[in-house]
Amino acid sequence: MVNNSADGRLTREGIRIHNPSDFAGMNKAGDLAARILDDVADQVFVGQTTATIDDFIRARVEEAGATSATIGYKGYQHASCISVNHVVCHGIPGDKKLKDGDILNVDVTVVVDGWFGDTSRMYVAGKLSRKAERLIQVTHDALFKGIEAARPGNTFGDIGHAIQTYVEANRMSVVRDFCGHGLGRVFHAPPNVLHYGRPGTGPQLEEGMFFTIEPMVNLGRAETKVLADDWTAVTRDKSLSAQFEHSIGITSDGCDIFTLSPAGRFHPTYHSE
Ligand code: MF3
Ligand code: CO
Ligand code: CO
């Protein structure tokens, strides 16, 4: 006889409802991912390679006795995705040196005691340009607009709508080709968490749902394409792109953010937390 009661239940859309005790596992995994990204800040400078940043992340995951969720995932070989300038997401760490003013997203997913912690944030090498600063600020704030809408009684469409409205009011575009996702004891689970949408549409949010919100925002048009390496997604118009990601869990009256930065370093200028 198999007893699945400890795993919670699935909604009719296939979204897992976790138990209150499952939040502790997600907090631990999220905290490790966030601490690693806190320390990545010191590894980002002009002349540094993204492969070296990835080596640092891999070592930190191993030291913690955790596992990287991305190494071996669909053939991916790295402990992080590092997406520079017009790379939207899934940038592959490599030997190219960072230049003054480059902006980059570093995305890390760790597995601790079977729970997945998935988070990404923006960094800058050297001096941040005014237009990149604006893009990063709008993307960061768009994530938090989505998080503010994440509570029982709202729907996934409300989250997407909050993000889209904010981004478009700032004359930037939300990427449609990639979305957030449910997670927990798996990396990618239902639902697809769209970063655009209409109020009141999509599944209802319920206490115990765990998922990411990870808006990608472009200074130019929303369209992307994937390069011949089958991973690197770039803006079609070569415009700058930014992304921030948190893993969250719906509570009775809002949400817990599992991947909060203990050092207050989530935003690249360390101001807005
Ligand atoms: N961490 C990414 C996400 O936010 C997924 C990366 S999969 C990889 O869902 F294979 F590209 F690493
Ligand atoms: Co994710
Ligand atoms: Co991620």
Side-chain angles (χ1 to χ4, degrees):
M1 182 91 107
V2 179
N3 179 358
N4 280 325
S5 64
D7 289 335
R9 63 180 177 89
L10 293 182
T11 68
R12 61 192 159 81
E13 299 96 349
I15 305 168
R16 185 164 295 286
I17 305 300
H18 298 84
N19 297 310
S21 60
D22 295 337
F23 281 73
M26 288 300 286
N27 269 316
K28 211 172 148 195
D31 186 65
L32 176 63
R35 282 175 192 280
I36 293 172
L37 288 189
D38 282 351
D39 294 340
V40 161
D42 305 318
Q43 305 295 318
V44 175
F45 45 83
V46 175
Q48 173 72 303
T49 72
T50 54
T52 305
I53 297 171
D54 186 69
D55 289 342
F56 172 83
I57 293 167
R58 185 186 302 240
R60 289 294 309 272
V61 174
E62 281 169 15
E63 273 164 38
T67 311
S68 161
T70 54
I71 298 173
Y73 176 78
K74 294 184 178 174
Y76 195 77
Q77 299 292 338
H78 308 272
S80 61
C81 297
I82 303 184
S83 303
V84 182
N85 294 338
H86 74 297
V87 179
V88 172
C89 63
H90 300 164
I92 300 174
D95 292 333
K96 230 173 104 183
K97 289 180 161 66
L98 293 172
K99 299 184 307 297
D100 188 33
D102 280 351
I103 60 166
L104 50 150
N105 174 277
V106 181
D107 190 340
V108 173
T109 311
V110 298
V111 192
V112 178
D113 302 333
W115 296 100
F116 286 68
D118 185 6
T119 182
S120 81
R121 60 177 90 151
M122 297 301 295
Y123 302 85
V124 58
K127 192 177 163 9
L128 188 58
S129 75
R130 293 293 294 273
K131 70 172 188 180
E133 182 175 14
R134 215 182 130 245
L135 170 67
I136 288 170
Q137 188 69 48
V138 168
T139 310
H140 173 275
D141 294 351
L143 167 60
F144 280 89
K145 296 282 179 194
I147 289 173
E148 279 165 31
R151 59 170 180 273
N154 273 357
T155 69
F156 280 95
D158 291 320
I159 294 176
H161 181 73
I163 293 167
Q164 179 182 8
T165 309
Y166 184 75
V167 169
E168 291 176 357
N170 282 282
R171 306 175 136 277
M172 298 178 193
S173 18
V174 174
V175 169
R176 308 298 207 264
D177 301 337
F178 299 91
C179 56
H181 49 92
L183 83 173
R185 273 192 275 248
V186 292
F187 194 175
H188 293 117
N192 286 334
V193 180
L194 306 182
H195 303 112
Y196 58 93
R198 281 175 293 121
T201 62
Q204 293 270 352
L205 296 164
E206 288 182 48
E207 186 174 355
M209 288 181 173
F210 296 167
F211 55 91
T212 71
I213 306 180
E214 47 183 298
M216 286 140 274
V217 174
N218 300 345
L219 271 184
R221 294 179 55 86
E223 286 75 19
T224 71
K225 67 176 180 191
V226 175
L227 300 186
D229 61 24
D230 274 346
W231 284 106
T232 312
V234 299
T235 54
R236 281 196 173 266
D237 65 4
K238 304 272 170 59
S239 66
L240 276 187
S241 187
Q243 179 180 25
F244 286 87
E245 174 176 25
H246 270 315
S247 296
I248 70 171
I250 300 297
T251 61
S252 61
D253 61 350
C255 67
D256 284 352
I257 304 175
F258 299 129
T259 44
L260 278 179
S261 163
R265 281 185 156 191
F266 190 64
H267 190 284
T269 54
Y270 306 157
H271 292 313
S272 71
E273 289 192 55

